């Protein structure tokens, strides 16, 4: 019964080979849309049997068992390596976490990003009641899910209890009793934290309870505990989240650890300029070229899992997610790590090459030093703060109201004049035939009443404003107020326009189309143009109001608005005083130069960070390979062990090799990329391994021998190749499930003989 996974604990009649299960697992994580049912159907096709729905059930049982065996095997390997439950979180990304001695200190020790997404939600299974709703459909009763104590969180998920510690309202108050009693919830999505390279740090389920702040708070708490000082945490509403953190119980710890909240580069563009000056990626010192939008990228790929999570049980959904993430971390994120680092390096070098052009521009424009750019930014910040705190002209003042009432009065006076004349004509003897006398008289009387009402409102305002002499269209205060009225109309038109743009941007973000960069901007511009009649009307209203001002504000075209859509510049239009337009930072060419300057600074920081990160990865590749090979050798050695122990160790050695190869298979390719990069002009780092801080501090209890600077992957190949590939078939072995874990090696090597009824 070797290499077979049964579908029932006792006297199984159907079992499935490990190989088939492994094919399903790998195919499914690579293409999550391929679920169990189509897979089982294709197996049936191949075996020439008709498909039966219960086969899916049986396959699912065997698959659960198989994944459980894999989890337990991993656990054994980790135990044997002395790696505890926190080890994954602290070592998942070598570029972020595997520090070496003598590293340069960075402003942000580590950059993380987090976000929530509802594509991986789950629908709670509930009973139908006897009652029906108005459409005649049966209404839903309480949940009828069974409690499932199995746990597939695998160290990735933060438990609900931990999340609830950060809730303002206890879940108990927010959710109905029966839901709590059964401990089953409808998960509305996941909240996720990644490092800047895309490795999954932690995630948690979002539940139907409205409050959103607790998820990021719980995650930040865990991250601070694990990673400590100088963490940068990106979030699309990072600006608001900063205040949330400061006001929570986390506030003190966050301040102590010098944690900073940041805003993702794309989302930042939808925030107002003042927020951008503080949070936008380009302006944040120490951020490098990181856009902090990794979550968007992750979610756009994990969306394929949605279908298999939607109607799964609590446990199965979690198992789906962790199986996917585990594979993704190693076979996508780790596989592309060197590519990521090298591409960033090249990008930063390209930006650095723009420095001479910027210097040339500065000379032409008479900008003396880079310091001036910083001053402009500060000036802009001060200016906007002033604007924000200044009394808003948007509020209608009494004077404005008075002017409006006077205009109303003058209109109704003129109208009354006309009506009265008509009525006189109707009554006069000249009219030979006058059936309209009554009507004209009625209109005259109504006109008079309207005039009297308008007069009353004017008088009331004159009392309030202490106006002794009624204003006329030539009195200075009248003229002054009319300017204010125009300004107000202009501000309102601008507000309306800005709001429309913001709404569209959020809409588009929600549609999961966000990836930063030029292409996206073009994409948004197109989408906006196609469907935004409202925006066009708002532009017209804005232009009409702008031209009435003195001096007139610039007219906007559709194309400009789309550029402004990245909102930074809306705030400058906000000020109608002429003096702001004369400041250098309001002129487009200067703003361009300003952005170029800050981008240059970020590129320099990126290179500093990459020099560290690349060396960390090289050190990791070197150390991990040696450590795991050494452990393998130790396990294969039989002296001084009982026969039983020796055999168990031999099996474990195979698993340690598989564990090493999981990520190690990419290391040669990584090193090749690094070597090419190292030859690039402008490279200032080192690609020889350093001495890892953990090894020096002896956290890793096995010391690593350091002779030779190249990675050891070639030197020891001969030793590793041999002893591993043995397959000791032994007929007397019993078929206990617990033993199967050791037999996984069969998978890699020989393939089980097909026995029993296979699906
Ligand atoms: Zn990382
Ligand atoms: Zn903001």
């Amino acid at each position: 019964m070797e290499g077979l996974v049964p579908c029932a604990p006792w006297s199984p009649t159907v079992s499935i080979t490990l190989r088939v299960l492994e094919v399903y697992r790998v195919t499914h994580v690579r293409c999550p849309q391929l679920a169990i049912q189509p897979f089982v159907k294709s197996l049936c096709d191949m075996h020439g049997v008709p498909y039966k729905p219960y086969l899916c059930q049986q396959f699912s049982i065997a698959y659960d068992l198989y994944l459980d065996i894999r989890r337990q095997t991993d656990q054994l390997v980790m135990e044997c390596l002395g790696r505890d439950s926190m080890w994954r979180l602290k070592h998942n990304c070598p570029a972020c976490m595997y520090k070496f001695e003598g590293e340069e200190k960075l402003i942000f020790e580590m950059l993380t990003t987090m976000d929530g997404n509802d594509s991986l939600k789950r629908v709670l299974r509930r009973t139908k009641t006897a009652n029906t709703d108005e459409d005649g459909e049966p209404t839903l009763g309480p949940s009828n899910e069974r409690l499932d104590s199995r746990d597939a969180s695998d160290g990735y998920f933060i438990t609900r209890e931990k999340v609830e510690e950060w809730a303002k309202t206890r879940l108990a108050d927010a959710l109905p009793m029966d839901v709590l009693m059964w401990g089953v919830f409808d998960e509305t999505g996941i909240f996720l934290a990644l490092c800047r390279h895309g490795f999954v740090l932690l995630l948690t389920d979002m539940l139907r309870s409205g409050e959103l702040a607790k998820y990021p708070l719980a995650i930040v708490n865990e991250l601070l505990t694990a990673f400590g000082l100088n963490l940068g945490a990106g979030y699309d509403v990072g600006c608001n989240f900063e205040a949330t953190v400061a006001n929570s119980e986390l506030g003190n710890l966050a301040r102590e650890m010098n944690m900073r909240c940041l805003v993702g580069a794309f989302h930042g563009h939808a925030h107002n300029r003042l927020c951008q000056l503080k949070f936008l990626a380009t302006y944040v010192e120490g951020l490098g070229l990181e856009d902090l939008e990794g979550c968007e990228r992750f979610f756009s790929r994990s969306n394929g899992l949605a279908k298999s999570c939607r109607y799964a049980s609590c446990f199965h959904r979690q198992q789906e997610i962790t199986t996917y993430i585990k594979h993704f971390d190693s076979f996508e994120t780790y596989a592309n790590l060197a590519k990521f680092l090298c591409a960033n390096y090249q990008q930063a070098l390209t930006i650095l090459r723009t420095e001479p052009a910027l210097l040339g521009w500065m000379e032409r424009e008479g900008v003396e030093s880079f310091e001036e750019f910083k001053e402009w930014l500060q000036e802009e910040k001060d200016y906007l703060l002033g604007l924000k705190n200044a009394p808003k002209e948007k509020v209608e003042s009494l004077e404005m109201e008075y002017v409006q009432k006077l205009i109303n009065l003058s209109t109704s006076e003129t109208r009354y004049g006309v009506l009265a004349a008509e009525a006189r004509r109707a009554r006069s003897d000249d009219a030979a035939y006058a059936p309209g006398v009554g009507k004209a008289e009625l209109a005259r009387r109504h006109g008079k009443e309207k005039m009297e009402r308008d007069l009353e409102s004017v008088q009331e305002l004159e009392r309030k404003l202490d106006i002794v002499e009624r204003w006329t269209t030539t009195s200075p205060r009248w003229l002054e107020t009319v300017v204010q009225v125009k300004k107000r109309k202009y501000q309102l038109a601008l507000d309306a326009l800005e709001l429309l743009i913001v709404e569209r941007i959020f809409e588009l973000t929600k549609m999961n189309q966000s990836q930063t960069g030029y292409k996206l901007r073009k994409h948004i511009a197109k989408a906006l143009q196609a469907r935004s009649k409202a925006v066009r009307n708002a532009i017209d209203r804005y232009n009409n109001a702008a031209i009435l001002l003195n001096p007139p504000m610039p007219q906007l075209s559709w194309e400009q608005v789309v550029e402004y859509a990245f909102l930074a510049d809306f705030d400058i239009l906000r000020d109608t005083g002429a003096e702001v337009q004369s400041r250098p930072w309001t002129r487009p060419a200067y703003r361009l130069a300003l952005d170029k300057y800050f981008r240059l600074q970020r590129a320099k920081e990126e290179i500093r960070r990459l020099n560290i990160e690349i060396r960390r990865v090289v050190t990791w590749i070197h150390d991990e390979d040696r450590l795991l090979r050494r452990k393998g050798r130790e396990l294969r050695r039989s002296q001084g062990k009982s026969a039983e122990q020796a055999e168990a160790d031999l099996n474990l050695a195979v698993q340690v090799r598989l564990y090493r190869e999981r990520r190690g298979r990419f290391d040669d390719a990584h090193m090749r990329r690094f070597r090419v990069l190292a030859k690039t002009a402008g490279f200032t780092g080192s690609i020889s391994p350093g001495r890892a801080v953990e090894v020096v501090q002896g956290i890793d209890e096995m010391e690593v021998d350091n002779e030779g600077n190249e990675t050891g992957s070639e030197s020891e190949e001969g030793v590793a190749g041999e002893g591993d590939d043995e397959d000791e078939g032994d007929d007397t072995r019993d078929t206990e499930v617990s033993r199967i874990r050791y037999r996984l090696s069969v998978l890699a090597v020989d393939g089980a003989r097909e026995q029993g009824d296979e699906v």
Side-chain angles (χ1 to χ4, degrees):
M1 293 290 275
E2 214 165 79
L4 290 175
V5 179
C7 298
W10 293 284
S11 21
T13 55
V14 173
S15 57
I16 296 163
T17 63
L18 286 169
R19 281 218 288 189
V20 165
L21 291 166
E22 175 66 0
V23 166
Y24 175 69
R25 181 187 72 87
V26 176
T27 319
H28 181 57
V29 288
R30 284 297 191 180
C31 172
Q33 286 86 348
L34 180 84
I36 285 184
Q37 198 198 43
F39 187 77
V40 170
K41 280 185 174 174
S42 43
L43 285 179
C44 289
D45 297 348
M46 285 193 289
H47 285 270
V49 291
Y51 166 76
K52 299 273 179 2
Y54 66 81
L55 292 172
C56 281
Q57 192 66 36
Q58 290 180 326
F59 185 89
S60 165
I61 291 168
Y63 185 57
D64 286 352
L65 189 55
Y66 172 65
L67 290 181
D68 189 55
I69 293 166
R70 285 187 63 93
R71 268 194 297 275
Q72 291 190 35
T73 314
D74 274 353
Q75 195 128 29
L76 283 176
V77 172
M78 295 300 267
E79 270 166 29
C80 134
L81 295 169
R83 298 179 170 178
D84 62 8
S85 57
M86 284 296 281
W87 190 91
R88 184 205 57 86
L89 178 57
K90 288 185 177 174
H91 294 80
N92 206 13
C93 176
C96 284
M97 305 162 188
Y98 202 65
K99 296 182 180 162
F100 58 88
E101 266 190 325
E103 272 180 19
E104 184 192 350
K105 279 273 161 273
L106 294 174
I107 295 178
F108 295 105
E109 287 278 331
M110 187 171 155
L111 288 168
T112 64
T113 169
M114 54 191 174
D115 201 3
N117 181 284
D118 61 1
S119 68
L120 299 181
K121 61 174 168 260
R122 191 178 77 89
V123 177
L124 191 65
R125 272 177 276 180
R126 293 157 79 182
T127 53
K128 287 180 184 150
T129 60
N131 309 326
T132 53
D133 62 12
E134 58 259 36
D135 300 329
E137 297 287 322
T139 55
L140 293 174
S143 157
N144 62 351
E145 284 183 25
R146 261 183 306 143
L147 262 178
D148 191 337
S149 60
R150 287 177 292 177
D151 175 28
S153 61
D154 237 355
Y156 279 98
F157 277 87
I158 304 181
T159 60
R160 279 179 194 153
E161 291 72 28
K162 277 190 176 166
V163 174
E164 283 315 305
E165 284 172 26
W166 300 97
K168 275 211 196 86
T169 43
R170 302 276 309 124
L171 199 56
D173 305 329
L175 287 176
M177 205 44 216
D178 62 312
V179 174
L180 287 168
M181 217 161 62
W182 288 98
V184 282
F185 306 90
D186 30 358
E187 293 88 347
T188 56
I190 57 171
F191 198 94
L192 172 82
L194 305 174
C195 80
R196 82 176 195 120
H197 308 95
F199 287 97
V200 177
L201 300 173
L202 288 166
L203 68 154
T204 179
D205 286 323
M206 297 198 287
L207 303 178
R208 191 178 303 282
S209 79
E211 195 187 328
L212 286 175
K214 60 186 174 183
Y215 307 115
L217 283 175
I219 290 221
V220 165
N221 180 47
E222 296 291 317
L223 293 181
L224 285 175
T225 317
F227 300 112
L229 279 171
N230 303 327
L231 199 68
Y235 187 22
D236 55 3
V237 289
C239 45
N240 298 328
F241 184 57
E242 189 177 57
T244 312
V245 171
N247 297 329
S248 72
E249 286 169 50
L250 207 56
N252 279 332
L253 184 64
R255 268 186 295 276
E256 250 168 63
M257 294 297 183
N258 196 23
M259 190 204 83
R260 284 269 305 278
C261 294
L262 305 163
V263 178
F266 176 74
H267 288 90
H269 284 294
H271 292 216
N272 67 42
R273 183 69 181 160
L274 198 55
C275 163
Q276 287 187 6
L277 290 175
K278 192 164 172 210
F279 288 101
L280 194 65
T282 328
Y283 301 132
V284 176
E285 207 178 322
L287 197 49
L289 296 175
E290 178 52 39
D291 65 8
L292 296 173
E293 296 287 359
C295 288
E296 295 289 338
R297 289 187 283 271
F298 180 91
F299 286 132
S300 72
R301 303 178 80 156
S302 72
N303 283 349
L305 269 182
K307 233 173 141 187
S308 40
C309 286
R310 193 109 200 236
Y311 298 103
S313 74
C314 222
F315 163 77
H316 282 116
R317 172 177 167 278
Q318 210 167 53
Q319 181 172 267
E320 280 285 308
I321 296 174
T322 44
T323 309
Y324 175 80
I325 287 178
K326 250 180 145 170
H327 198 81
F328 196 85
D329 267 351
S330 292
F331 290 84
E332 277 296 321
T333 316
Y334 187 83
N336 291 310
L337 184 58
K339 195 174 162 200
F340 175 102
L341 296 170
C342 293
N344 272 29
Y345 215 107
Q346 297 292 2
Q347 193 199 357
L349 288 177
T350 310
I351 294 173
L352 283 190
R353 274 179 230 124
T354 64
E355 189 161 6
L358 181 67
L359 287 168
W361 180 87
M362 285 165 67
E363 204 175 324
R364 281 196 303 282
E365 295 287 320
V367 178
E368 307 238 310
S369 75
F370 284 149
E371 285 307 303
E372 276 187 49
F373 289 114
K374 286 185 192 159
E375 279 163 26
W376 293 349
L377 202 67
Q378 188 56 44
E379 210 178 292
E380 190 180 351
K381 201 186 255 177
D382 293 344
Y383 164 77
L384 287 172
L385 271 173
L387 210 60
K388 196 181 167 199
N389 299 332
K392 281 265 155 87
E393 284 161 335
K394 273 180 250 170
V395 184
E396 195 179 26
S397 68
L398 282 177
E399 281 87 355
M400 291 185 205
E401 204 183 335
Y402 178 61
V403 166
Q404 191 57 53
K405 296 287 182 208
L406 279 177
I407 293 172
N408 292 352
L409 178 61
S410 131
T411 319
S412 58
E413 274 172 356
T414 320
R415 176 119 182 95
Y416 175 69
V418 174
L419 291 170
E422 265 171 28
R424 251 197 322 277
R425 249 200 324 280
R427 269 199 317 270
S428 74
D429 301 335
D430 298 354
Y433 170 68
V437 174
K439 246 186 191 168
E441 184 55 30
L442 182 69
R444 189 198 61 82
R445 186 162 58 76
H446 282 177
K448 184 160 187 259
E449 282 163 7
K450 169 90 170 68
M451 187 178 69
E452 282 163 0
R453 274 201 305 279
D454 286 343
L455 186 61
E456 259 173 54
S457 345
V458 166
Q459 287 164 348
E460 195 186 324
L461 280 165
E462 283 175 347
R463 272 195 296 280
K464 276 190 195 160
L465 287 164
D466 280 332
I467 294 174
V468 182
E469 201 174 318
R470 184 158 300 164
W471 295 1
T472 66
T473 48
T474 47
S475 52
R477 289 190 65 191
W478 168 283
L479 292 173
E480 218 172 87
T481 311
V482 163
V483 171
Q484 281 173 16
V485 170
K486 283 182 186 163
K487 274 191 189 168
R488 174 161 178 270
K489 276 196 179 141
Y490 170 82
Q491 295 288 1
L492 291 178
L494 183 59
D495 281 351
L497 185 58
E498 188 176 343
L499 189 69
L500 279 171
I501 302 277
V502 173
E503 279 170 2
R504 295 303 182 283
I505 287 179
F506 281 141
E507 224 177 297
L508 287 158
T509 323
K510 266 189 219 139
M511 286 158 63
N512 241 338
Q513 292 173 325
S514 32
Q515 266 167 15
T516 35
Y518 178 77
K519 248 179 148 173
L520 177 82
R521 281 172 166 237
K522 287 287 152 208
H523 173 77
I524 290 190
K526 254 192 179 158
L528 274 172
Q529 191 154 23
R531 45 196 297 240
S532 287
K533 231 186 142 191
V535 175
R536 285 183 175 280
N537 291 339
I539 294 176
D540 289 343
R541 270 197 301 278
Y542 165 86
N543 282 337
N544 290 339
I547 205 152
L548 289 176
L549 293 181
N550 187 20
M553 288 300 276
Q555 296 278 298
L556 289 180
S557 68
W558 169 260
E559 286 71 27
Q560 278 170 310
V561 167
V562 175
E563 278 303 302
Y564 282 145
F566 300 91
L567 289 188
D569 300 302
F570 265 95
D571 285 325
I572 289 173
L573 293 173
R574 219 156 262 300
D575 189 36
T576 46
E579 71 283 8
V580 60
Q581 314 249 355
S582 66
R583 302 198 199 176
W585 46 266
T586 63
R587 285 156 52 191
Y590 280 61
R591 295 180 75 74
L592 218 60
L594 187 81
D595 274 0
K596 271 193 189 139
Y597 163 72
F598 282 104
R599 203 145 169 77
L600 212 58
Q601 296 313 103
R602 297 299 84 84
K604 288 176 185 167
E605 288 162 6
E606 182 73 20
I607 286 188
R608 278 204 290 281
R609 178 176 293 277
L610 287 170
N611 281 341
I612 295 173
E613 287 181 348
I614 288 173
R615 189 137 193 236
R616 281 180 189 165
V617 175
V618 173
T619 311
W620 163 262
I621 289 175
H622 176 264
D623 291 1
E624 179 78 351
D625 188 76
R626 296 205 167 201
L627 186 140
L628 294 180
R629 283 177 194 277
R630 171 184 303 234
K631 191 73 200 174
R633 281 199 298 277
E634 247 168 58
L635 286 168
R636 280 195 302 273
R637 213 171 288 138
S638 54
Q639 307 107 293
K641 290 179 188 167
S642 67
E644 224 170 289
Q645 181 70 39
E647 198 202 305
D649 277 1
L650 220 49
N651 282 321
L652 203 52
V654 175
Q655 294 306 326
V656 169
R657 178 176 63 86
L658 291 175
Y659 175 79
R660 169 166 60 77
E661 286 172 354
R662 206 179 290 171
R663 289 192 175 188
R665 71 183 71 180
F666 304 111
D667 288 348
D668 282 346
H670 286 345
M671 286 311 296
R672 227 172 297 133
R673 276 185 193 276
F674 289 148
R675 274 183 222 117
V676 171
L677 179 73
K679 289 195 188 107
T680 313
F683 180 79
T684 47
S686 153
I687 56 162
S688 64
R691 269 163 60 79
V693 172
E694 343 197 307
V695 175
V696 175
Q697 291 174 349
I699 295 172
D700 231 317
E701 88 279 12
M702 282 189 287
E703 102 269 8
V704 174
D705 50 336
N706 254 330
E707 76 269 4
N709 270 346
E710 283 300 295
T711 48
S713 43
E714 301 95 11
S715 54
E716 291 181 56
E717 202 58 81
V719 189
E722 240 137 285
D724 290 345
D725 296 356
E726 76 280 10
D727 167 34
E728 332 97 86
D730 185 347
D731 298 6
T732 59
R733 191 161 299 139
D734 57 22
T735 53
E736 266 178 78
V737 174
S738 65
R739 298 287 279 188
I740 299 175
R741 71 179 73 144
Y742 285 114
R743 306 303 314 157
L744 275 175
S745 53
V746 176
L747 253 178
V749 189
D750 180 39
R753 298 242 54 82
E754 287 165 16
Q755 304 167 355
D757 295 6
E758 230 184 304
V759 171

